[in-house]
């Protein structure tokens, strides 16, 4: 199976495997069976084997997976060792929180620029980077060639900016705005994050507890 054939639902489970394995590694564990991993993660052992088989199975022998090498193989599938240059647009409440608190580097991203259209924010330091005015976005992208944009701006602002960012070489969006990028642009990687969806899912679950 080529990487392109792997379903998005399998890909979406990989970060969780990576996180669990990282924790087990930090606890000093060396090997784990798919059964033990499945119990810890609330999945079935067969689901785990199926997921891992999409990438060649990671060589489980009778006595389980080597945690260190599984962690590193999943990390390399996720591309966490290849630093992709990213910019963040919108240094408001959300943008500040994301820029200051996310471990971008550990996940394969190097945040190199933060932009906002509000000149009152220009020069403010977030994560060691000065907030830049969006007037400088074009030159900055031409000089530094970021591939990823983190959008912490309102829907209307995102609608206006996304096309320009794609023209400037951005090919992946971590999208906190409510603009539906994927429906409007093709061949662009988009990961939407909607905290309110998660909250409403919780609401449904709470309402339906027996
Ligand atoms: P905020 O008002 O504190 O910050 C928005 C920032 O974006 C401001 O600093 C503003 O100057 C800047 N901005 C607006 N248009 C811009 C443009 N064209 N170029 C560059 N900067 C621009 O708002 P907050 O709380 O940070 O939220 C930002 C957006 O994220 C909101 O529209 C909100 O709907 C959305 N949001 C999404 C969440 C999610 O889970 N996906 C959670 C919270 C907010």
């Amino acid at each position: 199976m080529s990487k392109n054939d792997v379903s998005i639902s399998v890909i979406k489970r990989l970060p969780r495997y990576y996180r669990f394995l990282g924790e087990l590694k930090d606890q000093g564990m060396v090997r784990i069976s798919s059964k033990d991993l499945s119990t810890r993660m609330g999945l079935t052992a067969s689901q785990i084997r199926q997921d891992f088989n999409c990438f060649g199975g990671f060589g489980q022998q009778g006595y389980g997976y080597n945690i260190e090498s599984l962690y590193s193989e999943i990390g390399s599938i996720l591309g966490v060792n290849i630093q992709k240059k990213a910019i963040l647009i919108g240094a408001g409440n959300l943008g500040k929180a994301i820029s200051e608190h996310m471990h971008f580097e550990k996940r394969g991203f190097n945040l190199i620029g933060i932009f906002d259209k509000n000149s009152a924010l220009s020069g403010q330091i977030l994560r060691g980077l000065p907030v830049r005015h969006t007037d400088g976005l074009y030159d900055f992208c031409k000089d530094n060639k970021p591939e990823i944009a983190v959008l912490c701006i309102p829907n209307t602002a995102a609608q206006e900016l996304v096309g320009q960012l794609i023209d400037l070489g951005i090919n992946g969006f971590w999208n906190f705005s409510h603009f539906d990028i994927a429906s409007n642009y093709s061949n662009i990687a988009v990961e939407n994050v909607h905290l309110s969806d998660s909250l409403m899912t919780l609401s449904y679950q709470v309402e339906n507890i027996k």
Side-chain angles (χ1 to χ4, degrees):
M1 190 181 278
S2 90
K3 263 193 181 182
N4 290 339
D5 296 329
V6 178
S7 78
I8 193 72
S9 50
V10 176
I11 307 287
K12 280 188 177 285
R13 279 195 288 276
L14 291 183
R16 189 154 174 257
Y17 289 126
Y18 187 69
R19 182 160 43 85
F20 265 81
L21 290 162
E23 285 167 10
L24 297 177
K25 189 170 75 74
D26 291 346
Q27 288 162 22
M29 275 184 71
V30 176
R31 303 197 79 85
I32 191 161
S33 66
S34 43
K35 186 168 183 305
D36 189 4
L37 188 58
S38 68
T39 310
R40 288 167 188 262
M41 294 187 64
L43 296 168
T44 64
S46 124
Q47 170 86 81
I48 289 182
R49 282 194 297 270
Q50 268 177 39
D51 286 353
F52 291 178
N53 278 341
C54 298
F55 304 97
F58 299 127
Q60 178 183 216
Q61 276 120 45
Y63 46 92
Y65 300 101
N66 177 292
I67 291 171
E68 175 94 50
S69 71
L70 187 54
Y71 176 77
S72 124
E73 286 194 67
I74 292 178
S76 105
I77 290 165
L78 288 169
V80 298
N81 303 322
I82 304 164
Q83 293 287 311
K84 296 160 277 294
K85 288 188 212 168
I87 53 173
L88 182 144
I89 320 276
N93 293 312
L94 184 62
K96 279 185 185 131
I98 299 283
S99 59
E100 299 267 61
H101 298 295
M102 278 307 301
H103 294 295
F104 283 99
E105 293 79 10
K106 279 192 185 168
R107 315 285 177 240
F109 296 90
N110 181 13
L111 187 65
I112 57 167
I114 300 175
F115 292 84
D116 200 290
K117 72 167 190 183
N118 179 358
S119 31
L121 298 177
S122 295
Q124 223 182 74
I125 303 294
L126 294 175
R127 203 194 183 84
L129 296 169
V131 176
R132 297 166 188 269
H133 194 272
T134 34
D135 282 352
L137 191 55
Y138 179 91
D139 285 343
F140 184 92
C141 291
K142 287 284 168 203
D143 292 345
N144 297 285
K145 303 189 172 32
E147 291 175 67
I148 309 293
V150 182
L151 298 184
C152 300
I153 47 179
N155 184 338
T156 46
Q159 277 183 54
E160 287 165 16
L161 259 184
V162 166
Q164 293 173 46
L165 289 167
I166 292 171
D167 290 345
L168 284 167
I170 297 292
N171 58 28
F173 290 90
W174 198 25
N175 182 28
F176 289 84
S177 83
H178 299 307
F179 176 49
D180 186 353
I181 300 173
S183 305
N184 290 279
Y185 298 92
S186 52
N187 286 329
I188 295 294
V190 182
E191 187 57 28
N192 296 307
V193 186
H194 295 303
L195 298 177
S196 51
D197 289 6
S198 176
L199 203 53
M200 286 187 285
T201 308
L202 176 64
S203 165
Y204 174 87
Q205 293 182 82
V206 165
E207 291 303 322
N208 289 280
I209 288 175
K210 291 271 178 316

